[in-house]
């Protein structure tokens, strides 16, 4: 039996979603994948990330990461990873159709990293959990009887990853076909879990809603992604680089932010970061640290060294495992397969983050507030789309942007219009709307 194997020649494809019949042979100064990157940078959903929580509350007197700065840093690290991988893979493909295309993986990974969090609702990851539990535990239970099993599964397992794919690929009302009309490769490179919620082998993690299942299948078939079983695909290989860049940034940068907010002290952070290095390297780094007086600069120096080490090792893991990645049989993430020293240091950072950062008062407070705000908005907006004949509903729906189809022909479509609207909100907008609908904020008279 012939072994299935994905091919870079197919995996790197400049065909654009929704614009397949408009392809032009005219030479461009920018590649199609660079155009993806630029298109994302100038998009409204990307700009809105500047007012969405990453971990710590926004805004504050001390600048910490928001979704926008996180995405920019992930893109920077992702491009470094892809560049390392490209340089190591090129000699293997000299004289093959894949050789010329491999040079584009830096641009594809850079774009995928920019887009990976665009579908996340306000108030960090707690916003995702709030939406899911609203349907599984809250007032949203009332709509279960109106939906198919696949549709219900999407709601109770609501995930920002799937919502990012929808945001990029769905044709919102009044917009062009194909959403942002991204290339097939850039779209596939953001899908960490290439299956629907209903088919998910890991309940709660999935890559696209059932409304976008046909769209993803079209992309998967064109790129030659391996279908492991009905509806479950192998990842596009570049997903591993996007995922590694995200894992590196959130882990390392959350530690640095915690230091700036005085949740962690400088000595403890330096010791955590020194754990990524051998004894010889530690001594050289300590000598540099002794020359720096500013504690923030000490931590920044250590952070840059850690990221460099992780980029180097993850790119090596990818290249060493290229064959099984292309066969769709690679298990886990690149982080999971790093050198033992790095894995242990990374795990210590994870444990510290969980014990001292993610359960800190500031983080829990924003989760509590976000839960109340999103739950309230879901109550009001869902009642409005399901009962549009009410006077209050007409008033409220008149405030929903026209691109969201609140009068969709199906119940699932109506509910999705509400989730599209809420997940697109910034923290500040959601709070402002919450106050207005509660009569706590009125226009000046």
């Amino acid at each position: 039996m012939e072994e299935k194997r994905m091919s870079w020649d197919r995996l790197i494809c400049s065909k654009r979603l929704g614009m397949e019949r408009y392809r032009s042979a005219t030479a461009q100064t920018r590649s199609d994948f660079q155009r993806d990157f630029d298109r994302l940078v100038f998009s409204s959903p990307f700009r809105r990330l500047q007012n969405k929580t990453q971990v710590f509350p926004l805004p504050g007197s001390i600048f910490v990461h928001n979704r926008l700065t996180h995405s920019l840093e992930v893109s920077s690290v992702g491009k470094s990873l892809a560049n390392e991988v490209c340089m190591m893979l090129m000699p293997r493909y000299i004289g093959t159709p894949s050789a010329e295309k491999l040079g584009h993986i830096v641009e594809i990974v850079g774009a995928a990293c920019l887009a990976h969090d665009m579908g996340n609702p306000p108030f960090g990851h707690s916003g995702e959990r709030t939406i899911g539990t609203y349907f599984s535990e809250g007032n949203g239970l009332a709509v279960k009887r109106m939906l198919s099993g696949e549709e219900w599964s999407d709601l109770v397992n609501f995930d920002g990853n799937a919502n990012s794919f929808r945001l990029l690929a769905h044709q919102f009302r009044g917009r062009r076909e194909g959403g942002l009309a991204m290339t097939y490769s850039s779209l596939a490179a953001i899908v960490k879990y290439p299956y629907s919620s209903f088919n998910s082998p890991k309940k709660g993690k999935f890559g696209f809603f059932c409304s976008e299942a046909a769209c993803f299948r079209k992309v998967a078939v064109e790129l030659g992604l391996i279908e492991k079983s009905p509806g479950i695909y192998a990842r596009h290989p570049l997903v591993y680089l996007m995922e590694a860049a995200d894992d590196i940034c959130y882990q390392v940068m959350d530690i640095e932010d915690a230091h700036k907010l005085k949740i962690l002290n400088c000595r403890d952070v330096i010791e955590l970061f020194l754990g990524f290095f051998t004894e010889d390297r530690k001594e050289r780094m300590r000598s540099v640290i002794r020359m720096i007086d500013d504690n923030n600069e000490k931590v920044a120096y250590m952070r840059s060294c850690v990221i460099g080490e992780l980029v180097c090792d993850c790119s090596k893991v990818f290249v060493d495992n290229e064959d099984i990645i292309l066969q769709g049989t690679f298990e886990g993430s690149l982080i999971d397969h790093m050198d033992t020293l790095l894995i242990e240091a990374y795990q210590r950072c994870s444990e510290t983050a969980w014990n001292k950062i993610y359960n800190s008062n500031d983080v829990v407070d924003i989760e509590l507030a976000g839960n109340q705000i999103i739950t309230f908005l879901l109550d009001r907006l869902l009642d409005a789309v399901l009962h549009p004949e009410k006077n209050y509903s007409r008033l409220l729906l008149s405030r929903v942007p026209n691109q969201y189809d609140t009068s969709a022909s199906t119940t699932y479509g109506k509910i999705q219009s509400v989730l599209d609207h809420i997940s697109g909100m910034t923290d500040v907008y959601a709070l402002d709307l919450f106050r207005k609908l509660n009569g706590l904020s009125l226009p000046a008279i």
Side-chain angles (χ1 to χ4, degrees):
M1 182 176 175
E2 187 180 351
E3 191 176 67
K4 290 183 178 178
R5 192 176 193 272
M6 294 178 281
S7 160
W8 289 114
D9 190 41
R10 288 185 66 183
L11 289 166
I12 301 172
C13 171
S14 60
K15 185 179 287 189
R16 290 191 175 280
L17 187 68
M19 298 183 67
E20 293 87 351
R21 60 188 179 276
Y22 300 119
R23 297 191 76 194
S24 170
T26 306
Q28 303 286 338
T29 55
R30 294 177 297 159
S31 75
D32 284 297
F33 308 111
Q34 179 63 48
R35 288 159 68 88
D36 282 347
F37 186 94
D38 296 346
R39 190 168 294 184
L40 289 167
V41 167
F42 286 92
S43 70
S44 295
F46 184 71
R47 287 197 300 274
R48 287 198 292 267
L49 294 177
Q50 69 182 310
N51 264 324
K52 287 192 176 188
T53 296
Q54 174 66 16
V55 173
F56 298 103
L58 302 172
S61 57
I62 299 174
F63 185 79
V64 292
H65 287 81
N66 55 40
R67 286 282 175 191
L68 181 70
T69 51
H70 168 72
S71 297
L72 290 168
E73 289 173 349
V74 172
S75 185
S76 177
V77 171
K79 287 192 287 187
S80 294
L81 276 163
N83 192 53
E84 293 276 342
V85 166
C86 184
M87 288 191 297
M88 287 188 277
L89 286 184
M90 278 293 195
R92 297 181 184 179
Y93 290 93
I94 292 173
T96 71
S98 300
E100 185 178 343
K101 289 190 172 185
L102 273 173
H104 291 301
I105 69 172
V106 176
E107 297 164 331
I108 296 169
V109 172
C113 290
L114 279 187
H116 82 285
D117 267 354
M118 281 173 59
N120 279 46
F123 306 110
H125 287 295
S126 66
E128 291 175 283
R129 293 192 293 271
T130 297
I131 293 173
T133 55
Y134 176 83
F135 291 100
S136 63
E137 303 173 6
N139 293 340
L141 274 166
V143 303
K144 182 176 181 179
R145 60 185 174 79
M146 308 176 195
L147 304 169
S148 70
E150 289 86 350
E151 293 166 344
W152 180 247
S153 181
D154 282 351
L155 300 183
V156 296
N157 296 298
F158 181 88
D159 191 273
N161 294 287
N163 205 46
S164 292
F165 187 80
R166 175 175 170 82
L167 190 63
L168 296 177
H170 179 67
Q171 182 179 8
F172 290 95
R173 191 160 62 180
R175 306 299 175 89
R176 64 180 172 184
E177 184 183 356
L180 286 185
M182 303 284 286
T183 63
Y184 282 27
S185 293
S186 292
L187 282 172
I190 73 162
V191 183
K192 291 169 66 174
Y193 310 102
Y195 34 77
S196 69
S197 63
F198 200 69
N199 289 326
S200 174
K202 304 176 183 176
K203 287 303 176 186
K205 290 295 182 183
F206 62 104
F208 48 85
F209 299 121
C210 60
S211 51
E212 282 72 56
C215 174
F216 180 81
R217 179 171 181 79
K218 179 166 71 170
V219 170
V221 169
E222 179 68 27
L223 299 180
L225 301 187
I226 295 170
E227 190 169 12
K228 296 179 165 186
S229 59
I232 298 178
Y233 293 86
R235 283 177 165 186
H236 190 293
L238 298 184
V239 171
Y240 289 102
L241 300 181
M242 180 275 290
E243 178 185 51
D246 187 29
D247 288 346
I248 290 169
C249 285
Y250 82 73
Q251 195 64 265
V252 175
M253 302 313 301
D254 288 353
I255 297 286
E256 184 176 13
D257 279 349
H259 170 257
K260 288 182 179 178
L261 293 170
K262 303 188 185 309
I263 295 172
L264 297 175
N265 64 50
C266 182
R267 183 185 65 255
D268 289 344
V269 171
I270 289 174
E271 285 307 308
L272 271 177
F273 285 168
L274 282 173
F276 287 89
F277 304 96
T278 62
E279 289 303 320
D280 287 347
R281 184 84 184 274
K282 284 180 184 178
E283 282 308 309
R284 291 198 299 274
M285 296 173 77
R286 286 191 178 107
S287 66
V288 173
I289 291 170
R290 285 193 287 270
M291 294 187 288
I292 304 172
D293 293 328
D294 186 291
N295 283 344
N296 286 333
E297 282 302 303
K298 290 180 181 180
V299 171
Y301 162 70
M302 291 298 305
R303 173 254 301 156
S304 67
C305 293
V306 170
I307 290 177
E309 195 74 8
L310 294 176
V311 164
C312 182
D313 209 67
C314 283
S315 58
K316 184 176 182 299
V317 170
F318 185 95
V319 173
D320 288 347
N321 291 277
E322 185 204 8
D323 276 342
I324 59 174
I325 288 173
L326 291 175
Q327 291 163 17
T329 57
F330 184 76
E331 296 291 336
S333 68
L334 299 181
I335 293 283
D336 296 333
H337 295 266
M338 294 188 303
D339 180 82
T340 303
L341 176 71
L342 298 181
I343 290 175
E344 291 175 352
Y346 188 89
Q347 288 173 342
R348 285 193 292 273
C349 287
S350 296
E351 290 164 6
T352 300
W354 178 255
N355 293 329
K356 296 188 177 181
I357 299 176
Y358 305 140
N359 289 313
S360 69
N361 289 339
D362 284 348
V363 173
V364 172
D365 286 348
I366 199 69
E367 289 192 7
L368 291 170
N371 184 286
Q372 290 296 304
I373 293 168
I374 291 176
T375 298
F376 175 83
L377 295 178
L378 283 167
D379 274 339
R380 292 301 177 92
L381 286 164
L382 282 176
D383 183 66
V385 297
L386 296 176
H387 305 285
E389 71 283 355
K390 295 179 181 179
N391 180 59
Y392 182 83
S393 297
R394 289 196 295 271
L395 290 172
L396 182 54
L397 293 177
S398 70
R399 299 286 293 149
V400 176
N402 189 58
Q403 72 192 71
Y404 305 125
D405 190 6
T406 57
S407 58
S409 58
T410 65
T411 300
Y412 180 62
K414 290 182 172 72
I415 294 171
Q416 278 195 307
S417 73
V418 170
L419 298 184
D420 289 335
H421 183 31
I422 291 177
S423 62
M425 293 178 183
T426 64
D427 295 16
V428 173
Y429 183 94
L431 174 60
D432 183 56
L433 184 59
F434 172 80
R435 286 171 171 165
K436 285 177 179 175
L437 296 183
N438 275 294
L440 301 175
S441 175
L442 296 172
I445 300 175

